[in-house]
Amino acid sequence: MPPPLFLSSGDLIADRRFEFARDLQLKGDLAAAADLLDQTVELAPDFVSAWFTLGEIRLELGEHDAAIAAFRRARDADRQDRHGASLRLMRLGAEALSDMPKAYVQTLFDQYAPRFEAALLDHLSYRGPAILFKAVLAVRAAAKQPAFFKRAIDLGCGTGLAAAAFARQVDRFVGIDLSPGMIEQARGTGLYAEFEVADMVEGLAGRPETSADLIIAGDAMVYVSDLAPVLAQARRVLASGGLVAFTLETHEGDGVILGAGLRYAHAPSHVRDVVQAAGLSLAHLEAASPRTEDNVPVPGLVVVASMP
């Protein structure tokens, strides 16, 4: 993952105290780091990075209520919530599950873009695109149809890993991603005819009806809590017989949760219900792990739905 986000307080002394506190945190002296951060936010009450880091430390110290208070101050100090304090509050049960702040996702992946592929492929054994490609081929084979698509949209395109898996099966790719940094990386692949900086719903909403034969999202829907708006737009944009295919992380319970990795996990039964409610036909739903973390495969799903 990219290094922790730092947003200056605008006060040189406060910024230096923050740096000293971070050094203490990295050395394992959490109590001293927390004390110094308490002094720092007294000096700069709206210092969002200090509040966020204080929340992380309080959480490590087992101080649940103090962590919640700090994360709330971090979120309130930056209405864009670029640190993602609201996600920590959801994980702590202090707020209801909701969508990720767009600025958080954009900031995270803009930071991550230069090292994204190395992190996924070298350290996480990322296999989402291959899983997605295999599922689409299986659906087409079962329908006795060729797996070739004139017009495709890659949602959350990232650096282009999913498009690369489908390159020989697609004539024209459009890449949609919320991160300009990711799109800049994808631009160098030569795989895309067009790009748009937007979230999934906005990007699809700007596309004409029946203008795509395939929509893919490799390891992108894990940043979406409510799949319904995305699938509703996918149904509108897909031509008759078109496919929408995506990978998800999953869990053994019901509905949607925010996992420890700060990605959403969707239960299989929930996915079936959302696909049906969108007016799509579920063509493929299979357990498939898209990555490995801490030497353990992350539970996942691969989903393919078709436009009637």
Side-chain angles (χ1 to χ4, degrees), residues 274-289:
V274 175
V275 168
Q276 182 179 14
L280 296 165
S281 299
L282 185 61
H284 188 95
L285 176 64
E286 182 182 14
S289 174

Side-chain angles (χ1 to χ4, degrees), residues 52-91:
F52 184 81
T53 303
L54 182 58
E56 291 184 313
I57 292 172
R58 294 295 185 201
L59 193 57
E60 285 190 75
L61 290 170
E63 300 172 3
H64 183 272
D65 291 343
I68 289 173
F71 285 133
R72 281 182 172 149
R73 290 296 298 266
R75 182 200 55 198
D76 294 346
D78 176 21
R79 288 300 181 177
Q80 296 182 72
D81 197 11
R82 285 166 285 181
H83 282 280
S86 60
L87 299 179
R88 272 62 175 190
L89 292 168
M90 291 179 214
R91 282 284 300 165

Side-chain angles (χ1 to χ4, degrees), residues 3-291:
L5 176 65
F6 173 72
L7 300 174
S8 172
S9 67
D11 183 314
L12 184 59
I13 295 175
D15 284 0
R16 284 179 176 171
R17 287 187 181 180
F18 174 81
E19 291 173 5
F20 293 148
R22 282 282 293 142
D23 286 341
L24 289 169
Q25 180 189 19
L26 294 172
K27 291 174 181 176
D29 194 345
L30 299 182
D35 286 343
L36 188 51
L37 286 172
D38 279 332
Q39 298 172 34
T40 303
V41 293
E42 284 183 12
L43 181 63
D46 294 324
F47 192 174
V48 56
S49 292
W51 280 116
F52 184 81
T53 303
L54 182 58
E56 291 184 313
I57 292 172
R58 294 295 185 201
L59 193 57
E60 285 190 75
L61 290 170
E63 300 172 3
H64 183 272
D65 291 343
I68 289 173
F71 285 133
R72 281 182 172 149
R73 290 296 298 266
R75 182 200 55 198
D76 294 346
D78 176 21
R79 288 300 181 177
Q80 296 182 72
D81 197 11
R82 285 166 285 181
H83 282 280
S86 60
L87 299 179
R88 272 62 175 190
L89 292 168
M90 291 179 214
R91 282 284 300 165
L92 289 167
E95 291 193 356
L97 193 75
S98 63
D99 287 335
M100 291 190 183
K102 291 181 183 179
Y104 163 76
V105 177
Q106 186 176 76
T107 301
L108 174 67
F109 285 102
D110 278 348
Q111 286 183 289
Y112 206 2
R115 60 185 70 85
F116 179 75
E117 287 195 14
L120 281 182
L121 300 177
D122 297 343
H123 302 293
L124 299 175
S125 301
Y126 179 56
R127 47 201 172 266
I131 290 169
L132 205 57
F133 181 63
K134 182 180 177 181
V136 168
L137 290 185
V139 167
R140 283 301 209 201
K144 297 182 180 180
Q145 295 178 334
F148 293 98
F149 306 90
K150 290 185 177 180
R151 306 159 300 172
I153 297 172
D154 186 0
L155 295 176
C157 65
T159 59
L161 291 173
F166 285 84
R168 294 185 178 181
Q169 268 64 42
V170 172
D171 285 342
R172 186 181 191 276
F173 253 120
V174 173
I176 297 174
D177 202 290
L178 194 55
S179 164
M182 285 293 197
I183 283 181
E184 196 57 37
Q185 296 290 320
R187 198 180 302 278
T189 66
L191 294 169
Y192 298 89
E194 183 183 347
F195 290 101
E196 183 176 357
V197 177
D199 69 20
M200 296 184 194
V201 174
E202 292 170 345
L204 288 175
R207 299 282 147 185
E209 293 184 10
T210 67
S211 61
D213 306 299
L214 174 68
I215 298 172
I216 60 172
D219 209 37
M221 295 288 203
V222 295
Y223 299 98
V224 178
S225 63
D226 185 1
L227 300 176
V230 181
L231 295 180
Q233 286 296 335
R235 188 187 190 284
R236 186 187 63 81
V237 170
L238 282 173
S240 179
L243 301 179
V244 54
F246 51 96
T247 57
L248 293 167
E249 292 183 13
T250 193
H251 65 108
E252 294 182 354
D254 299 320
V256 185
I257 64 168
L258 182 66
L262 299 182
R263 298 182 299 272
Y264 298 107
H266 297 76
S269 59
H270 174 75
V271 176
R272 291 189 186 95
D273 290 344
V274 175
V275 168
Q276 182 179 14
L280 296 165
S281 299
L282 185 61
H284 188 95
L285 176 64
E286 182 182 14
S289 174
R291 64 167 76 190

